[in-house]
Every structure is written in structure tokens, then in C-alpha cells.
Amino acid sequence: MNSTLAIAAVLIDGFIIYVLARRYASLGWAAASGLIFALNPATLLAANAWGPAAPATCGIALAGISFLTAERARTAMLWRVLGWLCIAAVVAWLLHLYFTAGAVNSIDAYNLWTLKNSPLQSDGQAILFVPQYLWGAALFVAAVALVVARAARSMSVRVLVESAALVGLAWCLLATRASEYELFYGLAFVAAAVPIAGRYVGAYVLLSLSLCIAAVHAHDPAAAWGNLQRAVSLVDVAVFFYLGYIFLGAEAAPEAARPSTRRATSPATPGSWQRRWFDPHEGTVGMLWPLDYIVAFIITAASFCVMFHRYWFPTGKIFDEVYFARAAEEYLSRQYIYENTHPPITKLLITLSTWMFGGLHGGDNSHGWRFLGVVFAALAVWMLYALAKRITRSTLFSAYAAGLLALDGMHFVQARIATPETYVVFFAIATIYTFYRFWIASQVRFERYLAARVPRTRAVGVAAVLVLAAAATFLRWPHETAAAKTVLMLYFVAGFYFVYRVIVEPLLSRDGAIFGSYPDGTRVLQADGGVTTLTPDGGSLDARSRSVLPGSLTRKQGIKLELEDAGLRAIYAADGSLQYETPVGAARYDTTARPENSLLWLCLFSLSIALLVASKWYGVMAYGVAFVVVLAVWSARLVGRIGKFERPAVWGNPYGFRLDVVLSAVVFITMSVYFAAYIPSFQGLSDQPTSPPRAYTVSDVVTMQYNAYEYHSHLTQGHPYASKWYQWPFDFKPLLYYAKYGGQGATATAAMIYSLPNPAIMWMGLLALPWIAVLAWRERNKGYALLIITYLAQWLPWAASPRIAFLYHFYVDIPVICLCNTLLAQRLWQWAAAKDDANWRAAAIGAIVVYFALVAGLFVYFYPILSGQTISNASWQHHMWFQGWI
């Protein structure tokens, strides 16, 4: 009797699927979707095995979605109420099953929790100190939140059906205590989604096979199906994440392929391959709540979990941990810091990590030394996601970039060793991100000033700054050396001048005129109730409609000046506003708009670069990146003074950067952080284990910097794993951090830890970086240009370095390579979308997915020699692709 009822329920489910699919599909497709469920051997076999409960509640869920999408206008509210009641009933039933089931990680369901463990094991087992059942609940809630956030953006019947399919699959595949027959819910909605996209056809076949195997296994539960179970579990989970990835990216991918963006990738003018305008929306799209934050959190958490697993192995100090982990011990015991050739920030972070685990009496071990390195490596993945979102404007490709970094071998290994490089990479990404935000925020600038007073006021201010700096230096530190006094004088001059320019001078000018400037170089002066506009090509316009026309590009149009050139249409109005229109978008700038706080981003950028330089000296290369950009953009204003602009600015507002403010802020904040890093030394350290602590002076710290420079400039002796700067992009010389051999002959084993970048990332970068450089110049893209300048500035100076170098010095460029590879993938997608051909789109998606799969596959392949697993000697040799790797 139960079997008959169950099969009848399946047939009814098939009919409801047909009714639902008819709302968005043809008669043929709707009928097919209903029939493939009702006549599916897997659903019929499962219904016969487990009875009518699952197909009956599945039918209620299908009816609920059908009611919610009913098109009867007069009774729409009634149908919605019925729909939500049906869904509530199904949710209540599933929760009942969840809380009455045994506390096991799966009741024979082939899901995430059976990839490693057998079913019917306790779900109270801890993963990173958290029970499995909480992980399962958290993953399910996160999946639902992502789906809801995506569905809310473009609600439709199709989106609702896809959302229901993903939520149904998430319940069975992510939550613990799931039963095998609960796959019914997701499978039914996948069948309903078959007319929506071809990917659901393959998903339906694979999930049906899984349900069929589970139903057969139900008749012989004692059978040991371990390998088959794991294979089916892997397929189920892979199908779910593939469908979810495409669904969540559906909003971002078309956004990147809108017609305006496709036009942006074509030459600006016939016969020209360079734009003569900028994208007004570049860098303005940030992380969206909650979608981007949830996606970034999931990728970051997954990366952390992978790096956390056995991060304490090996338990002894390896490679340069003999210096940096030792420094933690010395700081905690207030002893002289033996490793004094690098700035203290990273050593203090390693000390903090050790202290968190109990200090010298509990944390002085590999758990303590390395933990914060894993945390900062995971945070670097988050930071790269945020940077990628600003540059790509796509959730999908931001996740792609973050995923590439998470799958890089060097990122994985450096996270698990107590040396500075992981912290350096985090601060390097933060520096790029904050500078990019500062660059974009400086595109529109307004400030008050009294033109007649500026020279006199500025001169008095500078004099006051010099007097205060001299007094602070020579009265407070009269006994320091001349070198230390010079450093202190520079510090106080920068600090007092920064305060004067951002606080005192604005207060003195609070009654003055308003000076404004726009991204194209337009200047606006608002004074005495009138507005005067100076256009970039030398024209001017005031509120009385008087205009001076400079050349052939500009013409009078009523009370406006309108410039049309190479796809750009810029309209300058008498009220001081600018309408900037390009083939990729338009923007309006006026004196009433409140621009982004560029001073805040200047301070955050200065803090980031200060932490970077105070971690390792080669972070100073980021200064070159910043000042190349600032000087290049700022110097464009000199063209207007010497001659005149030929066209609007394209790389940034020439009047947006205040060169003196940028310089003083960077110097003052960098020196503040650098001095703060030596606070333990200023408080006192013991020169000898038996001597009392001695307070260091500023002269001592300055001398330490000179000694460190001398050490590095003469560090030329050979090292078996040293490499040349030109070898790094080719991944030819990884570093061996740990090696342990065992056995002999055929039974010989090896346990190795190589700091080896993912070859697929590095070698694709050889193609991606030149292409992104071309696009940066061609399209006047600030984000692209910043990546290329950063890459070159952090790499090429090593060609002139006198000291020996290692591949980890190139580690700071790996996130840049990951992002450039992502941009190449995004451009491939845009190019295929512009073809308006399904075959090209399918090929592009295939190439993008296959490349990511290749990166992931190589990470898994090299994992044994990244994590120190014991493998056969033959397997180790198999992983050594080049002679330089051995």
C-alpha cells in the first residue's frame, strides 16, 4: 500500500512540475521536465524504498512555489498565502526530521560529510574546535543567504525555481543529519529547471544516478561501499557547487558584458587604438551587502581551513624560523633581539601569536609561532577579493581571483612558516587597495581658500612648522647623534606640516572661495555668488554666460561649452557642472556633490605602506608605485601653465592630488609606525641574559638601520636555493624548507616542504601581464595600470640588488598575477559575449572553468610536497618537473 501511494505521489509531483514549468517554458519543455521526474527510475525506486513521505512533502514544496508564481491578479494574495503556508509546512517537516534524527553526520546520504567519513558517525566531532553539526548548519545558512541575496536582485519565476533547487540541494548536501531520500527535494526542482538552462540536464542525470545508488544501497545497508560512496558524494557536491557558482555569477557576468562595456573594448576612434577619455565609473563599484561579503567570507574561511590543517607540522623551527621565532622568545623574555637586520613589525606579530597561545610557557612552539601567519594569509585572500571587486566590478571574477590566490602553493606554504613574507603580502595588497581608493577618491576635490592670502599664509605656516620641529628635536633630544637629530627633524617637520595643511589652513580659509576640480581637469571657482568654470582645453565660462573659446574642439551652445572628441561628449554648464558622457557610461559632476573622503584613504594608504615597510625593507618599492602615479597625474597641471591642455585628462584629476600633503602624510605616518615598532626596545631589552634591560635611544635605532643596510648590501655568499630575479616569473627555483628521508631502495620515502608557486598561475601570468599592460594604456584604465606598475616596481629593482635573493621575494607579485589572470579570463568572457554566439560563449566558459580546475588540480597534485606528507621517493621524484626544483 505504501509503495502504491509513494509512486502515485511521484506522478503527482511530475504533474506539478509540468504546471510550474509551463509558466516560463514551451509546452514541449514543460511536459519533458514533468515526465523525466515522474518516470525517472531513480525517483520510482526511491519512492518504493522509502515510502510516500518524501514525494508527498516534495509535492507540497512544488505546489508552494507554483502558488507563489500564480498569475491570477484577482486572487494573487490568496495564492501567495497558500504558497507560503506550503513552504512553511515543508520547512517544519524537514526541521522535525533534522532534530529527531540521530546525531550523526549523515544517514547514508552522499553529501559533503561523507567525502571522508562513513555515514552514521557522530556529527559532534570537532573541526577547528567547532562541532560538525554547527559547521553544517552554518554552511546551509550561508548558502541560503547567498541564494536569497541573488534572487532578490532579479526576481522572476525562473530565478525562484533555480533558488528552490539550490536550497533543496543545500539541505541534503551541506547540513548534517540528512537522509538519502531528502535529495528528492532538490532533484524535483532541478527537473523543473531543465527548460531554463542546459546545465540542469547534466546535473539532473548525475543526481538521479546518486539517488538510484542510494536506493539500491538501502536494501543492503551493511554493504561496505566506501570508495563508491566517496565518489558519488564528490559528484553530488561538485554538481551543487557548480550550479551555485553559475547561479551566483549570473548577475555579475552579464553585467561585465553589457553593450556599453563591449564598446569600451573597441578602439575609441577610427585609426586610433587609444582612448581619449576615461571610464567615469571605474573603481566606484565596491563590495555589495550581503552577497560579496558572504562570498568573500566563504572563500576566506575555506582558505583558512586548508592552511590551518596541520599547520604546526613540523614542530621544530625550519628555515628562517631560527631567527624570527627566536625573536618572539627574545621579546617575551626582554632579551636583545638577535635578528636585527629587518624591521620589527612582523617579529612583533609572531610574538603576539606566541603570546596568544601562552607565551614562553605554552605558546613557544609551532602552534604559537605560526598561527597568525595562517590568519593573515587568509585575510590576504579577503583583501584581494575586495581589490578585485573594485577593478572587475564582478562578484564572479572577484571570487575567481581570490580562489586563485587561495590555491597558490607559495601562499599556502608561507602561511605555515613563522617568517615575515605572509604579513608582507597582506600589507602589500592592502597598500595597493588603499592607494587605488585614494586615487579614485581624488578625482573630485573641493576646498576653501583665500587666493590673496595663500602665499603669505603658507610662508608663515612653513616657518612655524620649522620652529616647532626644531624645538621638539633639540629641546627634547639634545644628546642624540647628528644622524638621529636629522631623522627626528624630518619626522617633526612632516608631522607639523601635515597638521597645518589639513587642519590649520582650512580653518584660516573657512570664509574663502570654494575651489573645485573634476576628473577631466576642469576647475571651478565659486565666489561672491558666482561660478567660473575653466575647461581642460583652455576655455572658460562664467555665470553670465560669457565664454572664451580656445580652439576647434570647443563650440558655444547656448550657455554651455560642449566638447565632442573621440567618443567623448563633455558639456560644461554655467552653474559649474559637468556632464561627462562616454561609450561606457556617463557621470555628472557639480559643486553640490559630496566627494569621497580622499584624506581618509590617504591616511589608510600611508598606514598600509608604513606597516609594509616596517615589516621588510623591500616594501619600500611600494613608495615608487605611489609616487610614480601621484607625480605623473599631478604634473599634468604644469601643461596648463606652460602651454595648454590639448584634451581632458584621462589618468586622473591633475588638481586632485595635493603633492605636499601626500608627501608629508606618507613620511609622518611611516615614521610614526616605524618608531612605534621599536617601543619594546625603547622600554628596554637586555644586552646579555644576565644583564638588566637597557632602554634604547633614537640614536641606537638609527644606528641599527645603518648596520642592517650594511649587512644586506654585503650579503653575497652563495646559497643552494638562492635564485636570480629573472628566474622568478618562470617558477624555476622554489625553496626547500624541510626534508626528511626514510627507508632505502624500493621502500625509500621522503617528506618535503617546498615553497613552490602554482605553475599554472605563474605561467599564465607570462601571457596575462603583457596583455593587461596593453589594455591599461589603450583604455586609460587606472586599476590595470596600477597592477602593472606595482608588478614591475616590486620585481625589477631586484636586478640591481647586491644581496642574494630568493623566490619568496617575488611572493608579493603573486596576488597581482592572480588578479591579472582573472582579468584575462574576464576579457575572454566579454569577447565571447560580444560575439552573440552560444558556441563562443560556451567555449569561453569552458576555458575559464578548465583553467581554474587546472590550478586547483595542480594544488592538489603538489599538496604532498607543500605540506610535508610522507610519500615514496619515486613519487617525490615524479613531482620534480625541473632540475632546479630538486
Side-chain angles (χ1 to χ4, degrees), residues 452-486:
R453 298 184 190 174
V454 166
R456 183 174 65 254
T457 304
R458 188 74 52 81
V460 172
V462 169
V465 163
L466 292 174
V467 170
L468 290 173
T473 300
F474 293 98
L475 295 180
R476 175 62 181 83
W477 284 278
H479 303 297
E480 301 289 349
T481 63
K485 288 178 180 177
T486 301

Side-chain angles (χ1 to χ4, degrees), residues 582-851:
T582 72
V584 299
R588 176 182 170 83
Y589 308 102
D590 59 52
T591 57
T592 63
R594 183 178 180 181
E596 191 176 1
N597 192 340
S598 62
L599 181 61
L600 169 64
W601 287 109
L602 171 60
C603 292
L604 290 175
F605 157 66
S606 301
L607 177 61
S608 297
I609 202 171
L611 291 168
L612 176 59
V613 175
S615 295
K616 262 200 168 182
W617 274 1
Y618 63 80
V620 75
M621 300 172 187
Y623 285 121
V625 176
F627 285 108
V628 162
V629 173
V630 170
L631 286 172
V633 175
W634 178 88
S635 62
R637 67 171 67 186
L638 300 177
V639 178
R641 294 177 180 176
I642 300 172
K644 70 177 182 180
F645 292 110
E646 295 182 0
R647 61 180 70 90
V650 292
W651 291 110
N653 181 2
Y655 303 94
F657 290 134
R658 294 178 290 177
L659 196 58
D660 56 339
V661 174
V662 173
L663 184 62
S664 60
V666 171
V667 171
F668 173 63
I669 294 177
T670 297
M671 295 184 73
S672 296
V673 171
Y674 207 93
F675 278 132
Y678 283 94
I679 287 177
S681 299
F682 293 141
Q683 289 181 333
L685 299 173
S686 299
D687 292 328
Q688 299 294 333
T690 57
S691 62
R694 174 181 69 85
Y696 284 49
T697 65
V698 177
S699 298
D700 291 329
V701 171
V702 172
T703 301
M704 289 168 65
Q705 311 314 304
Y706 175 76
N707 292 338
Y709 171 78
E710 285 291 303
Y711 168 82
H712 288 294
S713 63
H714 293 91
L715 185 61
T716 57
Q717 68 268 28
H719 190 284
Y721 288 97
S723 53
K724 299 295 185 180
W725 64 277
Y726 51 81
Q727 295 176 307
W728 298 340
F730 299 97
D731 206 3
F732 283 165
K733 192 71 172 178
L735 285 88
L736 178 62
Y737 283 162
Y738 172 80
K740 184 177 181 181
Y741 304 96
Q744 292 182 351
T747 62
T749 62
M752 321 291 284
I753 296 179
Y754 281 92
S755 187
L756 172 67
N758 194 309
I761 293 175
M762 298 289 279
W763 296 341
M764 182 59 72
L766 298 175
L767 171 65
L769 282 150
W771 182 241
I772 298 304
V774 170
L775 291 178
W777 181 256
R778 176 181 182 270
E779 299 179 2
R780 305 305 198 245
N781 189 295
K782 303 176 186 68
Y784 290 13
L786 180 60
L787 293 177
I788 299 303
I789 294 172
T790 300
Y791 176 85
L792 296 175
Q794 293 180 155
W795 173 46
L796 293 182
W798 285 103
S801 174
R803 61 157 290 165
I804 60 171
F806 300 89
L807 183 59
Y808 62 67
H809 290 125
F810 193 66
Y811 178 25
V812 289
D813 269 336
I814 290 180
V816 177
I817 297 173
C818 290
L819 188 44
C820 286
N821 291 351
T822 299
L823 292 171
L824 185 65
Q826 185 182 35
R827 287 311 182 105
L828 175 62
W829 164 249
Q830 291 175 355
W831 174 81
K835 291 287 186 181
D836 199 23
D837 185 302
N839 293 329
W840 281 111
R841 288 198 296 271
I845 293 174
I848 293 168
V849 172
V850 166
Y851 172 69

Side-chain angles (χ1 to χ4, degrees), residues 527-543:
D528 301 326
V531 178
T532 301
T533 303
L534 301 176
T535 62
D537 62 341
S540 65
L541 182 69
D542 63 25

